[in-house]
Amino acid sequence: MDPALPACKMQKADAADNAETTMSSTTTDTASSVDVVLIGGGVMSATLGTLLRQLQPDWSISIFERLDSVAEESSNAWNNAGTGHSALCELNYTPQRADGSVDITKAINVNEQFQVSRQFWTYLVEQNILESARDFLTPVPHMSFVWGDKNVSFLQARYKALSAHPLFSGMEFTQDQGQIAQWAPLVMRNRPAGQNLAVTRSLRGTDVNFGALTRLLFTYLVTTPACTLHTRHDVHDIRRDSDGRWVIKVQDTRLNTEREVKARFVFIGGGGGALPLLQKTGIPESRGVGGFPVSGQFLRCTNPDLIAQHHAKIYGKASVGAPPMSVPHLDTRMIDGTPALLFGPYAGFSTRFLKNGSLLDLPRSIRASNFGAMLAVARDNWPLTKYLIEQVLQSHNDRIKALRDFIPDAQAKDWELVVAGQRVQIIKKDAKKGGVLQFGTEVISSADGSVAALLGASPGASTAAPIMLTVLKKCFASKLPEWDAKLKQIIPSYGQKLADNPELCAQLFDKSTSVLGLKEV
């Protein structure tokens, strides 16, 4: 019996199970038992599947995605609320203390997580698992932009704290409006005189197309033995069998047939859809957990001349009451080889947990165990509720007015509204408040490690690799000594903190920059 997969003897799936290799078709195998089931065709399942394939190539893996193709929900390039999160420019990761100093603890943690993702991608390119990182990764400067005396003082304090840290080496700060105009001409064009402005810039920034990355990883996975991808397969139920294995009830929506698949380990990585499936497992760890859905919208530039004049991700400060994922930004994107320019996000509300979900998702997630926590969160988060109502009621001209904080002469005719993805923030019980709303990500797993689910949103996809390392630690603790050497090959800083080792930090950053082709900005 493999100690990492309780209650069962490992079995290797027949090679015939690997019949399908396309990203948008239904596989035809009828395997009723596998080692690993991954639910959701997004970057999290793709990353975990790729890691497991490197660590344990003899394990059989089945992946189930409810839509026609992978990477069509949160991992889709148009559904991401800003990509390449590494805390270089996101001001919500560096709160200001009462004494005026800036707490950079979370920024260091987020940046270090992103460096782990870079190491993982570097390994994949070196092993020819990915042909070129430039298929999904583009160098783009990351900038923070503020105005007003108080905000300028904050940004200067933030810069002083971050620029002294090895993870933020090379960050620049300026209040010189001529310099700002060189870095971001659209931001300064026709800007009213007399504003007190400040900007930081880091040339270490990137734009990541996680949809493209996800498709590349699944393309690799389905060419390996005993790994199958099933699109148009909707998981309806997860229950534990008497032998300890998990029984996954799945419907082939193309053929309108149902079947059951047994697995020794199940990862639920279905974005907002993970919570209802986690609840179906019945594990004690799922009790008391709820979710609050927040949708997003962006203004997308339709004027190619404007798109060509801007090359940066510029983040400002969030409005009072706005969730962290709603920090306004003017965002250069590279989507499937074509440059794009987005501004937002503008928050919205829907009871759906997925963009392609059901309006009944939220009410169906309410349980006796989480009802009190959800009521407490509703009671204690009026500023968020007010913010969402205001956002939903905005007109196109209202949105253009917000855009003019970043592009003073923005014209409504050059921008169109696009709907981004759904995010489901975690609600958990709290002894003092009754319930709290969390804005991070969290891995919730059973005590025996046989099932795990990823809940939450920001920073999300940018930290997929370290989050999946957390899954490995929670669910495969007995295998870690055996996997240690391989994990250090995949992630050279594994077991160490780059923040505590400036020399290793610089060495690995330089290596990944070279291998990933990020020298040009």
Side-chain angles (χ1 to χ4, degrees):
M1 181 181 295
D2 193 308
L5 297 168
C8 315
K9 182 179 178 182
M10 295 286 292
Q11 295 180 356
K12 192 171 182 179
D14 191 277
D17 288 355
N18 197 33
E20 289 289 341
T21 60
T22 64
M23 295 296 98
S24 58
S25 61
T26 304
T27 54
T28 57
D29 70 284
T30 58
S32 60
S33 181
V34 293
D35 298 319
V36 174
V37 160
L38 307 176
I39 301 174
V43 68
M44 296 300 176
S45 291
T47 299
L48 181 58
T50 302
L51 280 169
L52 289 175
R53 182 52 79 220
Q54 303 306 301
L55 298 168
Q56 202 71 42
D58 60 323
W59 285 0
S60 54
I61 302 174
S62 285
I63 306 133
F64 296 105
E65 165 57 45
R66 63 193 290 269
L67 299 180
D68 290 346
S69 184
V70 300
E72 289 303 315
E73 277 282 353
S74 295
S75 298
N76 184 280
W78 292 111
N79 289 341
N80 278 290
T83 59
H85 286 287
S86 48
L88 295 169
C89 57
E90 301 93 330
L91 301 179
N92 55 302
Y93 294 144
T94 50
Q96 192 166 23
R97 302 184 181 97
D99 64 0
S101 63
V102 174
D103 184 356
I104 64 172
T105 305
K106 186 170 184 178
I108 291 171
N109 183 50
V110 170
N111 190 289
E112 177 131 10
Q113 288 180 324
F114 188 72
Q115 301 312 314
V116 171
S117 290
R118 281 178 57 126
Q119 291 175 58
F120 176 57
W121 302 333
T122 298
Y123 167 83
L124 297 179
V125 172
E126 289 181 319
Q127 299 298 313
N128 295 317
I129 292 170
L130 298 177
E131 183 175 346
S132 171
R134 294 303 291 270
D135 292 331
F136 65 91
L137 192 62
T138 304
V140 174
H142 283 202
M143 299 171 61
S144 301
F145 172 59
V146 299
W147 55 90
D149 295 347
K150 183 178 179 180
N151 289 335
V152 168
S153 296
F154 159 72
L155 190 63
Q156 190 163 30
R158 179 184 187 270
Y159 164 72
K160 288 180 179 179
L162 286 179
S163 60
H165 195 280
L167 286 169
F168 297 87
S169 175
M171 180 176 284
E172 303 169 271
F173 173 88
T174 188
Q175 291 179 259
D176 183 276
Q177 297 194 13
Q179 181 66 77
I180 298 172
Q182 290 183 30
W183 290 350
L186 288 184
V187 168
M188 295 304 297
R189 192 174 69 188
N190 295 323
R191 181 166 291 278
Q195 285 186 307
N196 188 10
L197 309 174
V199 165
T200 59
R201 182 178 75 154
S202 175
L203 298 182
R204 290 187 168 205
T206 53
D207 174 70
V208 190
N209 183 337
F210 286 103
L213 173 60
T214 299
R215 290 189 292 272
L216 289 168
L217 293 179
F218 278 125
T219 297
Y220 156 72
L221 280 171
V222 297
T223 62
T224 63
C227 182
T228 57
L229 169 65
H230 308 258
T231 57
R232 289 174 282 185
H233 276 64
D234 194 6
V235 175
H236 287 304
D237 195 21
I238 307 174
R239 60 178 175 81
R240 194 151 215 170
D241 206 358
S242 57
D243 62 4
R245 291 184 295 178
W246 291 98
V247 179
I248 296 91
K249 181 182 287 186
V250 58
Q251 180 184 28
D252 182 333
T253 59
R254 181 178 63 91
L255 301 176
N256 196 28
T257 58
E258 284 191 348
R259 65 187 177 101
E260 292 185 343
V261 177
K262 283 191 174 184
R264 292 158 178 80
F265 171 74
V266 177
F267 173 69
I268 307 171
L275 175 59
L277 290 176
L278 173 64
Q279 291 174 328
K280 288 179 183 296
T281 66
I283 62 173
E285 293 80 5
S286 70
R287 294 171 191 155
V289 179
F292 182 78
V294 178
S295 59
Q297 299 173 318
F298 280 86
L299 290 177
R300 178 169 60 191
C301 186
T302 59
N303 186 333
D305 292 336
L306 288 180
I307 296 171
Q309 293 176 53
H310 184 78
H311 185 67
K313 294 180 180 292
I314 303 184
Y315 277 63
K317 293 202 76 174
S319 303
V320 175
M325 60 176 280
S326 294
V327 175
H329 53 283
L330 183 64
D331 195 349
T332 290
R333 301 292 311 278
M334 184 63 69
I335 299 178
D336 301 330
T338 301
L341 181 59
L342 283 74
F343 177 78
Y346 302 94
F349 178 77
S350 168
T351 55
R352 291 183 173 92
F353 279 0
L354 292 165
K355 189 174 181 179
N356 293 283
S358 166
L359 290 172
L360 297 176
D361 286 341
L362 177 58
R364 284 172 177 167
S365 73
I366 298 173
R367 301 284 191 277
S369 63
N370 65 21
F371 184 65
M374 295 179 76
L375 282 180
V377 165
R379 177 197 65 211
D380 296 338
N381 286 270
W382 169 244
L384 174 59
T385 303
K386 179 175 179 290
Y387 170 80
L388 291 176
I389 294 171
E390 291 171 346
Q391 291 276 294
V392 169
L393 295 177
Q394 278 188 322
S395 67
H396 188 61
N397 286 335
D398 291 331
R399 297 185 181 99
I400 294 297
K401 183 179 178 180
L403 170 61
R404 287 178 181 146
D405 286 337
F406 286 75
I407 303 180
D409 58 2
Q411 301 297 311
K413 64 182 177 61
D414 293 325
W415 300 83
E416 64 182 6
L417 189 68
V418 294
V419 178
Q422 284 286 109
R423 303 292 185 267
V424 178
Q425 313 297 341
I426 306 168
I427 293 175
K428 299 189 77 173
K429 285 184 176 180
D430 181 81
K432 293 183 178 179
K433 297 181 178 181
V436 292
L437 184 64
Q438 300 179 347
F439 291 102
T441 52
E442 183 176 350
V443 175
I444 295 180
S445 60
S446 60
D448 66 356
S450 63
V451 65
L454 181 68
L455 304 181
S458 183
S462 297
T463 55
I467 290 172
M468 292 306 102
L469 289 180
T470 299
V471 172
L472 296 182
K473 292 174 183 176
K474 281 177 168 279
C475 300
F476 300 98
S478 64
K479 299 289 289 185
L480 292 180
E482 176 187 334
W483 291 346
D484 186 73
K486 186 66 175 181
L487 282 169
K488 289 176 179 175
Q489 181 185 352
I490 299 170
I491 311 290
S493 69
Y494 179 73
Q496 304 180 66
K497 281 280 188 184
L498 291 175
D500 300 331
N501 193 332
E503 184 176 341
L504 180 63
C505 177
Q507 175 189 340
L508 292 178
F509 183 84
D510 290 345
K511 177 183 177 181
S512 65
T513 298
S514 176
V515 173
L516 299 175
L518 298 175
K519 290 184 178 180
E520 317 88 16
V521 177

